[in-house]
Amino acid sequence: MQLQVTNSPFTEEQIALLNRLLPTLTPAQKLWLSGYLAAAEAAVAVLDAEAPALFAGSSKPVSKEVTVLYGSQTGNAQKLAEKAGKALKERGFEAKVLSMLDFKPNELKKVETLLVVVSTHGEGDPPDNAVSFYEFLHSKRAPKLNHLRFSVLALGDTSYEQFCQTGKDFDKRLEELGGTRFYPRVDCDVDYEEAAAKWLDGVLGELSKEANANAGAAPLLSAVAAAPKAEPVAVYSRKNPFPAEVLENINLNGRGSNKETRHLELSLEGSGLKYEPGDALGIFPKNDPELVDLVIQEMKWNPEETVTIDKDGEVRSLKEALTSHFEITVLTKALLQKLAPLSKNSALQELVAPGNEAKLKEYAKGRDLLDALRDFGPWDAAPQQIISILRKMPPRLYSIASSLAAYPDEVHLTIGAVRYESHGRLRKGVCSTFCAERIQIGDTLPVFVQPNPNFKLPKDPDTPIIMIGPGTGVAPFRAFMQEREATGANGKSWLFFGDQHFMTDFLYQTEWLAWLKSGVLTRMDVAFSRDTERKVYVQHRMQERSKELFGWLEEGAVVYVCGDKQHMARDVHQTLIEIIEKEGGMSREQAEAYVTEMQKQKRYQRDVY
Amino acid sequence: MAKVELKAPEGPPSDVERIKRESRYLRGTLAETMEDPLSAGIPDDDNRLMKFHGSYLQDDRDVRTERQKQKLEPAYQFMIRVRTPGGVATPEQWLVMDELARKYANGTLKLTTRQAFQLHGVLKWNVKKTMQAINGALMTTLAACGDVNRNVMCNPNPYQSEVHAEVYEWAKLISDHLLPRTRAYYEIWLDDEKVAGTPQVDGEEEPIYGPTYLPRKFKIGIAVPPSNDVDVFSQDIGLIAIVEDGKLAGFNVAIGGGMGMTHGDKTTYPQLAKVIGFCKPDQVVEVAEKIMTIQRDYGNRSSRKHARFKYTVDRLGLETVKEELERRLGWKLGEARPYHFEHTGDRYGWVEGVNGTWHFTLFVEGGRVKDYDDYKLMTGLREIAKVHTGDFRLTANQNLIIANVTSEKKPEIEALIAEYGLTDGRRYTALRRNALACVALPTCGLAMAEAERYLPKLLDKIEEMIDENGLRDDEITIRMTGCPNGCARHVLAEIAFVGKAVGKYNMYLGAAFNGTRLGKLYRENIGEEEILRELRVLLSRYAKERLDGEHFGDFVIRVGIVKEVTDGTNFHD
Ligand SMILES: Cc1cc2nc3c(=O)[nH]c(=O)nc-3n(C[C@H](O)[C@H](O)[C@H](O)COP(=O)(O)OP(=O)(O)OC[C@H]3O[C@@H](n4cnc5c(N)ncnc54)[C@H](O)[C@@H]3O)c2cc1C
Ligand SMILES: NC(=O)c1ccc[n+]([C@@H]2O[C@H](COP(=O)([O-])OP(=O)(O)OC[C@H]3O[C@@H](n4cnc5c(N)ncnc54)[C@H](OP(=O)(O)O)[C@@H]3O)[C@@H](O)[C@H]2O)c1
Ligand code: HEM
Ligand SMILES: Cc1cc2nc3c(=O)[nH]c(=O)nc-3n(C[C@H](O)[C@H](O)[C@H](O)COP(=O)(O)O)c2cc1C
Ligand code: SF4
């Protein structure tokens, strides 16, 4: 074929030159030339890409990946989303069709092209499976979406006042977050078929147009995008805790539970803090203001009086000092001894006298500063004198329940609220009830990372793992699963979980079920201790599965135990030995040696408290 | 007349058809998934099959989104429905149901509009134990739901005369004859030995149904005039007992009724059954079977919302269906005989039967048997069941008859009725006694609005107007459902409400008091305030302008408030 003005983009002059040159070229020369030209074009494309492209306009290449999210109550939107997915695939797009409930919101940052198909229910409310995603998008946590192109198909019914409200909300919000609407929203009435088909045609047309226009340039961009981002250096530590913003704080226990277990999500954005699954997070809590008031009232102090709180002479009001800087919920022998000179009460003098250690210990148990102040007046003490003998508020540690690989810049915790009655008064664990009762979304908590090198996933992603974590002990295993999912590890995994009641206390139930379905978690056994007449604990489930469990150990599985130290960890330890004894045909001593060997090989790791 | 070709509608089979076909006669993976300790629910496919076993998975919708946030699965629980043909239960059976309700369910018993018992809130781990106890008391849940023939309804006062007793026996025979024959039920719930070499999908195990059962649920009811308490025209097959010279001569056969429809889809509509002829008592089981097989063969298996028998009848034509029936029977139906219905409600209080026994009809609001703070209904009935020598009858209006009380026992039962203040409803308005609501929220997965929990409160307010207009003793039927499926047969009520969204209802007027005419849409999507405003006007006009003995449903048509619905096919016009 001869080049002409009509069949090419060249001018007459250029064509003359080309037509002179081309017939003289050997095939090898032609090949070389086309490579040269392509490379030269590429250099231009890279330059273009580096220029700040605000959004996917005409010049930016379009990825072939399209995410279709649906929110549907009665299945209409789902059906349409699936149809859209099919049509996209037929046209060579990689379409992922997901319910909003199954979509991990943190993935949104990676999505470039998004189709939303959503109905409206209630009185203008999102369908059930869209609620959490809807709330996420409308919350402060919603990411910037400058890289996103989207289009919304809204289903509804014009006989309702709030016609297609949810679709409208998504449409508006995605734009607010920086997304580009590449095709206008379509609102459908109950007879949605036609309008929906039109929308799909429009969307497909738009996407195909751009895909064609940009074919060829796409692979180059990804190479540029991979350039590493500079990370801020960590300046925060236990000494200088980072004020982490609270993104989420929910009670994981359903109605009617005896328990309250808080799931906290904190932002580490800008802190430079890093952690690995298995590490813990420290929190500096505040005392219960009601308890502080009771202490101040008891002593008839002025809450605004200034006191010095450390050797450097930092000052605070008395109330602030008692609330944030000192421990007032624990009575120790040392504290009682230091209190004694400030009281004329002979009972106290007697209690701290040598020889009465047992009585003192008995008295201190389950009591706090307020009890002592009430029991041993009258006091001859200025506020500063009492402050000076109190302990600094200690931070509390919590096993981290998330993985940075799944939630960059976030850390999640699982905190069991401690409440109990002692000596006629309801007592509250300082940190756990601080988080449960007084921390709102948007507040900040002073935190630091406490690494734990002895509770780590095996280096080899194929190594099987057995995780035993009743109650809040399950926290680090959520981090493990997130990590293994995000890194695509193939090792088998087995979780033993237990708590009081199936209905209300199955912590993170839906997440485990999803991981079982996707195969990230291989198997799971549960022990709900108060649903049956006889108590069932995790170790009973281990016993029931002793043969398989020993088989896993022989395959080299790593065993992790997390949670209550006093009872659970001890009993689980015994059970492990018994299982090895029974299934391995060993003596008690041999079984114990087997466990010791596992410990040496770091195949038996514990995080108990 | 052009011959209509007999065939089922075109279209790919619905997903439920696949589930049935692959289920190996209703087994699926139920035995395993019911044992899975990680979820209190079961997968969708198994839940479809579970219905055939008389139960299905629901969840407490009051806490659905809350639990979703808490990363807990929905608060799954099972509803279990017990078949009691004609609604008859012995005192022993009553005591078993009472105990199960308190031990495994939510502490209440629901008497349904199809004369069955329903337990709500049974946890998965307790379903099998509950099923075993029910069967231990010689009752079953098999085919209480699902695409099969359901509990056969029958006027519940059979001992009033010999005829009633006979009719009840026929109801039971039909019910038993049309039960599925699969052993799956016994294997899964009653630990029966698996039948060796269980046939696969070759139809051997289900001689009547075949491997895919019916396209949809199928309902049969028998009315004994003048009472149309079973709403005989709402049934797929309605049988009207014809009594001549004090003897049961046979049944008029009506076909193709059904209440359900879908909001906004005018191809769906409620329809009344139409009488096609008459058969003798000993022919009625065969007639029922053959009619059902026509639906089996020609019903719509592609679109479930068009799969009820009524659409088959309307599509093929009444005459064609009748001809096909007669072809299958090998004989012709007789000419329909005259009959006359007066009402659909129950008659409350004591009635003396013919054989010297007594029956007490108790008003049970919403069909819900439970202990209220100030009304120990459940305890009272338990105490009565302990001494009662007759039986209990569940009525189609969700009420209860303490039946067959001998003259000797009557004082004892009366004393218990008095002790627990059990009411025949006389202290309520006639409107409340004629009220019906479906379960709806929080347990029904399809509910768009409240019904059972809300109707009593709405009635409190309507009763004020009733009193203002002096209508306290005028019988008006009022019904409310949470969605248009029509579990409380709403379109047959003179005043009907169908949920559209929380707090919003469509309002229908103009159905016949005796259940022979459908209501018409009057107002759409209205809340309580508007409902009351509308009723204030309507009731006051009714009180002033009605003719002698004119029912409310007839009145609103005569004065032109709504148009008369003459057939389901013009319901939407
Ligand atoms: C490495 C590590 C990881 C941890 N991970 C987690 C975790 O993931 N989730 C979690 O919830 N916790 C975890 N903990 C425990 C957590 O650090 C706190 O100890 C816990 O939350 C209680 O702190 P608090 O401030 O609420 O209670 P405090 O005010 O410290 O009170 C707790 C004290 O109250 C007393 N007490 C408690 N119950 C009773 C009772 N019934 N009768 C009498 N006295 C009682 C005990 O003396 C107890 O030490 C972990 C601990 C460690 C060391
Ligand atoms: N009141 C408190 O202050 C309080 C209470 C509990 C725990 N804690 C502390 O909080 C942490 C975790 O508590 P949590 O509430 O998440 O879980 P948890 O108390 O450890 O309870 C989780 C499950 O473990 C069961 N369990 C009890 N004893 C066990 C044993 N010996 N072996 C195996 N399982 C056993 C419990 O059953 P049962 O409960 O039915 O026995 C429950 O089903 C621990 O450090 C614990 O010491 C404090
Ligand atoms: C609680 C959960 C329930 C669900 C999900 C449910 C579901 C349905 C559905 C889908 C229909 C429509 C069937 C159709 O038209 O093809 C229907 C109809 C019906 N239901 Fe239920 N039901 C429930 C409870 C009940 C109860 C408690 C009763 C009795 C008290 C009942 C009695 C009926 C009746 C009588 C109809 C028939 C209406 C007709 O003839 O079409 N249902 N139900
Ligand atoms: C209980 C209920 C409430 C509804 N509320 C609204 C509403 O407020 N606004 C609206 O536009 N549509 C409303 N609809 C209509 C639905 O959005 C419409 O039926 C849609 O097609 C359902 O799609 P889905 O099956 O994907 O959920 C409502 C529907 C139901 C059942
Ligand atoms: S009518 Fe609708 S809301 Fe009521 S019980 Fe039936 S299906 Fe549920």
Side-chain angles (χ1 to χ4, degrees):
Chain A
M1 185 181 78
Q2 180 88 11
L3 275 181
Q4 294 167 2
V5 186
T6 47
N7 68 3
S8 74
F10 303 112
T11 62
E12 202 133 9
E13 193 183 346
Q14 290 170 325
I15 286 187
L17 285 169
L18 283 168
N19 280 340
R20 231 178 35 222
L21 174 66
L22 288 176
T24 69
L25 297 179
T26 63
Q29 284 173 324
K30 280 187 192 157
L31 202 64
W32 186 91
L33 183 62
S34 58
Y36 170 79
L37 288 174
E41 272 316 298
V44 175
V46 170
L47 280 178
D48 280 354
E50 276 170 346
L54 254 185
F55 47 73
S58 52
S59 72
K60 192 178 162 204
V62 184
S63 145
K64 285 293 231 181
E65 217 171 274
V66 180
T67 303
V68 186
L69 291 184
Y70 61 83
S72 180
Q73 192 82 19
T74 48
N76 296 339
Q78 179 174 358
K79 240 184 316 186
L80 290 172
E82 282 160 1
K83 206 162 140 188
K86 220 173 124 213
L88 282 163
K89 281 190 193 133
E90 280 162 8
R91 263 154 243 234
F93 290 91
E94 278 169 46
K96 270 203 278 187
V97 182
L98 281 170
S99 124
M100 292 183 182
L101 187 59
D102 295 332
F103 179 73
K104 294 214 171 61
N106 57 315
E107 296 269 321
L108 197 53
K109 294 178 194 158
K110 301 185 204 149
V111 173
E112 283 179 27
T113 308
L114 176 70
L115 300 181
V116 169
V117 185
V118 69
S119 63
T120 299
H121 280 265
E123 294 210 52
D125 306 321
D128 285 346
N129 62 6
V131 171
S132 52
F133 184 65
Y134 182 93
E135 287 179 355
F136 169 81
L137 263 197
H138 287 80
S139 74
K140 285 174 39 185
R141 302 173 55 197
K144 281 265 159 287
L145 297 176
N146 293 335
H147 58 285
L148 182 89
R149 324 149 7 94
F150 70 91
S151 179
V152 176
L153 178 66
L155 298 195
D157 177 343
T158 42
S159 77
Y160 290 94
E161 230 162 83
Q162 315 263 17
F163 176 56
C164 286
Q165 192 55 46
T166 304
K168 291 177 185 166
D169 291 348
F170 272 113
D171 197 43
K172 177 152 165 265
R173 185 60 182 165
L174 287 169
E175 183 172 53
E176 277 171 11
L177 292 171
T180 311
R181 185 182 301 102
F182 73 88
Y183 189 80
R185 187 188 74 242
V186 169
D187 296 336
C188 307
D189 207 347
V190 266
D191 49 346
Y192 53 78
E193 276 92 353
E194 208 172 296
K198 244 171 137 177
W199 173 82
L200 183 57
D201 278 351
V203 163
L204 287 172
E206 201 59 36
L207 288 178
S208 308
K209 210 158 66 193
E210 300 192 18
N212 294 339
N214 290 279
L220 292 158
L221 185 76
S222 49
V224 177
K229 222 167 54 185
E231 290 293 344
V233 185
V235 289
Y236 295 103
S237 64
R238 184 179 165 126
K239 280 259 150 51
N240 180 26
F242 171 70
E245 186 183 348
V246 177
L247 302 172
E248 186 70 276
N249 182 356
I250 50 183
N251 180 9
L252 292 173
N253 298 98
R255 290 192 199 183
S257 175
N258 299 326
K259 295 209 164 178
E260 181 178 357
T261 312
R262 307 302 299 197
H263 172 75
L264 247 65
E265 299 183 357
L266 308 176
S267 168
L268 294 180
E269 206 176 322
S271 70
L273 291 176
K274 288 275 169 275
Y275 63 84
E276 286 176 27
D279 292 342
L281 193 79
I283 300 181
F284 285 96
K286 291 185 180 180
N287 281 312
D288 180 0
E290 283 179 27
L291 185 65
V292 171
D293 286 348
L294 285 174
V295 168
I296 294 175
Q297 277 167 25
E298 179 66 28
M299 300 303 281
K300 305 198 170 60
W301 284 335
N302 172 8
E304 298 312 322
E305 185 171 333
T306 306
V307 289
T308 311
I309 58 164
D310 60 14
K311 291 192 200 80
D312 302 339
E314 282 270 337
V315 294
R316 293 284 185 282
S317 74
L318 174 62
K319 183 167 177 164
E320 170 60 16
L322 286 174
T323 306
S324 305
H325 298 273
F326 295 97
E327 178 178 82
I328 58 172
T329 49
V330 180
L331 262 194
T332 59
K333 183 172 155 199
L335 180 58
L336 282 167
Q337 281 171 338
K338 288 182 194 158
L339 279 172
L342 305 174
S343 160
K344 302 220 163 49
N345 192 309
S346 58
L348 178 56
Q349 308 309 331
E350 203 186 311
L351 197 64
V352 298
N356 282 346
E357 284 79 8
K359 264 175 79 182
L360 186 146
K361 204 173 150 198
E362 182 56 34
Y363 174 80
K365 202 172 145 195
R367 287 191 168 88
D368 62 9
L369 178 67
L370 180 62
D371 292 307
L373 294 176
R374 281 178 174 168
D375 291 348
F376 302 120
W379 296 93
D380 183 14
Q384 184 69 56
Q385 284 175 288
I386 301 276
I387 288 289
S388 304
I389 59 175
L390 291 177
R391 275 209 304 186
K392 278 269 148 69
M393 173 74 85
R396 268 60 165 183
L397 292 181
Y398 294 94
S399 316
I400 290 175
S402 57
S403 148
L404 284 173
Y407 293 90
D409 287 337
E410 288 187 19
V411 59
H412 301 179
L413 303 175
T414 313
I415 303 180
V418 174
R419 297 188 182 91
Y420 57 95
E421 186 165 318
S422 168
H423 304 286
R425 181 145 57 86
L426 173 70
R427 320 267 165 158
K428 297 177 173 182
V430 177
C431 190
S432 58
T433 60
F434 171 58
C435 293
E437 297 172 9
R438 298 193 298 282
I439 286 297
Q440 318 289 333
I441 293 176
D443 293 350
T444 61
L445 283 174
V447 305
F448 59 93
V449 171
Q450 175 83 31
N452 180 355
N454 299 318
F455 203 78
K456 284 281 162 297
L457 277 167
K459 290 269 168 308
D460 181 353
D462 292 334
T463 305
I465 56 175
I466 298 174
M467 303 167 284
I468 303 157
T472 53
V474 83
F477 303 135
R478 182 173 181 266
F480 280 13
M481 288 294 99
Q482 286 182 2
E483 179 83 6
R484 278 202 152 185
E485 180 177 41
T487 58
N490 285 322
K492 292 195 289 184
S493 53
W494 187 349
L495 174 63
F496 288 91
F497 172 73
D499 214 316
Q500 294 185 358
H501 297 289
F502 174 92
M503 265 313 203
T504 55
D505 308 327
F506 197 158
L507 306 181
Y508 302 110
Q509 180 187 19
T510 52
E511 298 189 354
W512 307 123
L513 293 179
W515 278 318
L516 279 165
K517 208 167 154 189
S518 67
V520 173
L521 178 59
T522 315
R523 58 182 297 179
M524 179 165 187
D525 283 285
V526 287
F528 291 98
S529 53
R530 305 196 187 180
D531 281 341
T532 44
E533 270 159 38
R534 294 215 0 242
K535 287 222 169 181
V536 201
Y537 290 151
V538 281
Q539 58 268 30
H540 300 127
R541 296 296 183 225
M542 291 166 64
Q543 261 153 358
E544 288 167 18
R545 315 267 183 271
S546 62
K547 195 163 174 214
E548 292 126 289
L549 204 150
F550 184 69
W552 281 52
L553 294 184
E554 290 283 279
E555 283 176 45
V558 184
V559 175
Y560 300 89
V561 181
C562 180
D564 171 54
K565 175 158 63 182
Q566 249 192 324
H567 307 288
M568 184 277 294
R570 206 191 50 210
D571 294 348
V572 165
H573 182 75
Q574 289 309 319
T575 304
L576 198 61
I577 293 173
E578 283 162 25
I579 288 175
I580 294 166
E581 201 180 328
K582 177 174 157 223
E583 301 296 340
M586 298 183 205
S587 70
R588 184 83 186 175
E589 290 69 35
Q590 286 170 319
E592 280 168 1
Y594 188 103
V595 170
T596 313
E597 183 55 31
M598 283 180 62
Q599 267 163 336
K600 276 197 202 136
Q601 297 173 358
K602 293 204 154 218
R603 284 181 47 223
Y604 181 34
Q605 305 187 8
R606 306 206 301 173
D607 172 22
V608 293
Y609 42 88
Chain B
M1 189 181 78
K3 188 100 180 107
V4 179
E5 196 190 347
L6 279 172
K7 61 174 202 216
E10 306 277 338
S14 70
D15 200 41
V16 182
E17 293 299 321
R18 171 191 61 79
I19 296 170
K20 286 188 275 191
R21 183 172 293 281
E22 291 171 0
S23 74
R24 295 172 296 121
Y25 294 103
L26 311 181
R27 288 174 179 84
T29 52
L30 265 176
E32 296 92 71
T33 55
M34 284 301 289
E35 299 274 312
D36 172 10
L38 299 180
S39 171
I42 53 176
D44 286 347
D45 280 15
D46 278 340
N47 193 29
R48 281 288 178 181
L49 299 174
M50 191 67 179
K51 295 185 182 178
F52 291 80
H53 297 258
S55 170
Y56 49 97
L57 187 63
Q58 307 184 314
D59 73 287
D60 184 343
R61 294 177 54 185
D62 287 350
V63 297
R64 195 188 271 178
T65 44
E66 169 182 317
R67 284 180 66 93
Q68 186 178 313
K69 257 195 133 141
Q70 293 179 307
K71 303 174 192 295
L72 293 167
E73 68 178 12
Y76 286 125
Q77 41 185 257
F78 285 81
M79 184 283 285
I80 298 181
R81 193 180 290 160
V82 182
R83 274 173 91 100
T84 42
V88 180
T90 64
E92 295 73 36
Q93 290 172 333
W94 182 275
L95 289 172
V96 168
M97 291 309 300
D98 173 83
E99 192 193 336
L100 290 173
R102 287 177 294 127
K103 194 162 164 191
Y104 295 132
N106 61 1
T108 74
L109 264 181
K110 170 102 182 169
L111 314 180
T112 80
T113 51
R114 288 196 68 81
Q115 299 176 292
F117 286 110
Q118 219 160 269
L119 297 170
H120 288 270
V122 181
L123 292 183
K124 185 165 100 172
W125 344 108
N126 295 327
V127 168
K128 191 162 172 172
K129 288 181 247 182
T130 308
M131 296 285 214
Q132 295 189 338
I134 289 166
N135 281 272
L138 302 181
M139 294 179 286
T140 185
T141 68
L142 174 60
C145 324
D147 299 340
V148 281
N149 176 52
R150 306 290 186 80
N151 199 30
V152 174
M153 296 178 71
C154 166
N155 176 293
N157 219 345
Y159 287 85
Q160 252 180 356
S161 72
E162 298 294 314
V163 173
H164 282 92
E166 221 183 320
V167 170
Y168 165 66
E169 285 306 322
W170 288 116
K172 230 169 81 168
L173 275 174
I174 298 172
S175 180
D176 291 346
H177 182 70
L178 298 181
L179 272 180
R181 307 287 157 84
T182 172
R183 300 296 301 164
Y185 184 83
Y186 307 92
E187 286 167 21
I188 296 173
W189 311 112
L190 308 179
D191 294 326
D192 241 28
E193 288 290 295
K194 272 211 172 55
V195 180
T198 300
Q200 290 300 305
V201 189
D202 60 4
E204 241 175 74
E205 192 166 344
E206 291 289 5
I208 302 179
Y209 286 107
T212 50
Y213 297 83
L214 300 180
R216 202 74 165 78
K217 62 170 77 167
F218 198 81
K219 300 181 171 184
I220 302 178
I222 311 181
V224 184
S227 171
N228 185 18
D229 52 354
V230 302
D231 272 329
V232 75
F233 301 109
S234 75
Q235 315 279 346
D236 292 279
I237 304 178
L239 298 169
I240 301 164
I242 301 296
V243 181
E244 287 166 0
D245 306 326
K247 286 178 89 161
L248 180 67
F251 301 94
N252 275 355
V253 180
I255 61 171
M259 297 292 101
M261 58 169 268
T262 308
H263 276 316
D265 183 346
K266 294 193 174 173
T267 62
T268 67
Y269 51 85
Q271 181 60 289
L272 294 185
K274 297 180 187 74
V275 177
I276 56 170
F278 170 86
C279 74
K280 293 206 281 291
D282 59 4
Q283 297 171 325
V284 73
V285 174
E286 192 189 359
V287 168
E289 179 193 317
K290 293 293 185 262
I291 294 174
M292 198 178 85
T293 60
I294 294 176
Q295 162 68 351
R296 177 196 66 193
D297 298 341
Y298 303 123
N300 188 333
R301 288 184 188 261
S302 181
S303 162
R304 286 188 66 79
K305 59 184 184 188
H306 301 108
R308 285 291 295 274
F309 187 41
K310 61 185 175 186
Y311 300 114
T312 313
V313 172
D314 288 352
R315 181 167 48 82
L316 299 176
L318 201 60
E319 270 314 306
T320 315
V321 175
K322 184 178 170 184
E323 277 168 26
E324 174 63 12
L325 170 64
E326 290 174 341
R327 196 185 62 75
R328 291 185 184 215
L329 287 169
W331 48 269
K332 291 212 180 307
L333 294 176
E335 187 91 1
R337 313 255 170 116
Y339 62 91
H340 173 65
F341 285 128
E342 280 170 9
H343 58 87
T344 57
D346 291 332
R347 280 156 295 172
Y348 297 93
W350 284 106
V351 189
E352 187 173 4
V354 283
N355 51 359
T357 59
W358 292 81
H359 314 291
F360 182 81
T361 304
L362 176 71
F363 172 67
V364 183
E365 184 152 28
R368 190 62 73 173
V369 176
K370 67 174 195 177
D371 278 346
Y372 298 84
D373 286 342
D374 54 352
Y375 182 39
K376 304 287 177 225
L377 175 61
M378 194 169 193
T379 306
L381 287 170
R382 188 183 318 129
E383 293 308 315
I384 288 175
K386 286 181 190 165
V387 302
H388 184 36
T389 51
D391 47 40
F392 289 96
R393 302 291 160 81
L394 283 57
T395 82
N397 292 301
Q398 305 179 342
N399 293 315
L400 185 69
I401 304 175
I402 303 165
N404 248 354
V405 181
T406 60
S407 315
E408 298 83 68
K409 271 279 174 195
K410 193 169 172 245
E412 196 179 347
I413 302 282
E414 270 181 326
L416 284 168
I417 288 173
E419 181 181 342
Y420 289 96
L422 303 188
T423 177
D424 58 8
R426 246 168 272 194
R427 63 173 146 138
Y428 297 121
T429 56
L431 180 75
R432 191 180 292 260
R433 291 196 304 260
N434 281 292
L436 215 55
C438 75
V439 226
L441 293 173
T443 48
C444 175
L446 305 171
M448 303 177 191
E450 297 280 353
E452 184 190 330
R453 293 197 292 195
Y454 170 58
L455 183 59
K457 289 178 209 150
L458 181 65
L459 282 170
D460 289 343
K461 296 180 180 155
I462 300 176
E463 276 176 337
E464 289 171 23
M465 304 173 196
I466 290 282
D467 281 337
E468 283 164 23
N469 290 297
L471 297 170
R472 208 175 166 78
D473 296 318
D474 287 279
E475 313 250 5
I476 302 173
T477 53
I478 180 168
R479 298 178 183 176
M480 176 177 277
T481 59
C483 84
N485 280 321
C487 294
R489 302 189 294 266
H490 58 283
V491 275
L492 282 173
E494 296 174 281
I495 304 173
F497 300 99
V498 183
K500 276 221 84 178
V502 174
K504 295 281 199 250
Y505 297 86
N506 282 357
M507 181 173 177
Y508 294 79
L509 295 176
F513 181 72
N514 66 0
T516 54
R517 183 183 60 239
L518 294 167
K520 183 100 199 153
L521 181 63
Y522 172 64
R523 289 281 181 268
E524 215 169 340
N525 228 353
I526 58 175
E528 180 172 292
E529 211 175 297
E530 283 164 274
I531 291 177
L532 294 176
R533 200 181 318 132
E534 293 289 350
L535 283 176
R536 187 175 307 276
V537 177
L538 292 167
L539 289 171
S540 121
R541 277 191 70 184
Y542 174 58
K544 293 193 199 98
E545 303 172 26
R546 66 177 154 169
L547 306 175
D548 221 23
E550 186 176 35
H551 281 294
F552 183 75
D554 302 333
F555 166 78
V556 292
I557 288 173
R558 181 178 56 81
V559 302
I561 292 169
V562 290
K563 251 180 26 190
E564 176 176 3
V565 177
T566 52
D567 189 280
T569 48
N570 61 41
F571 178 76
H572 294 295
D573 299 347

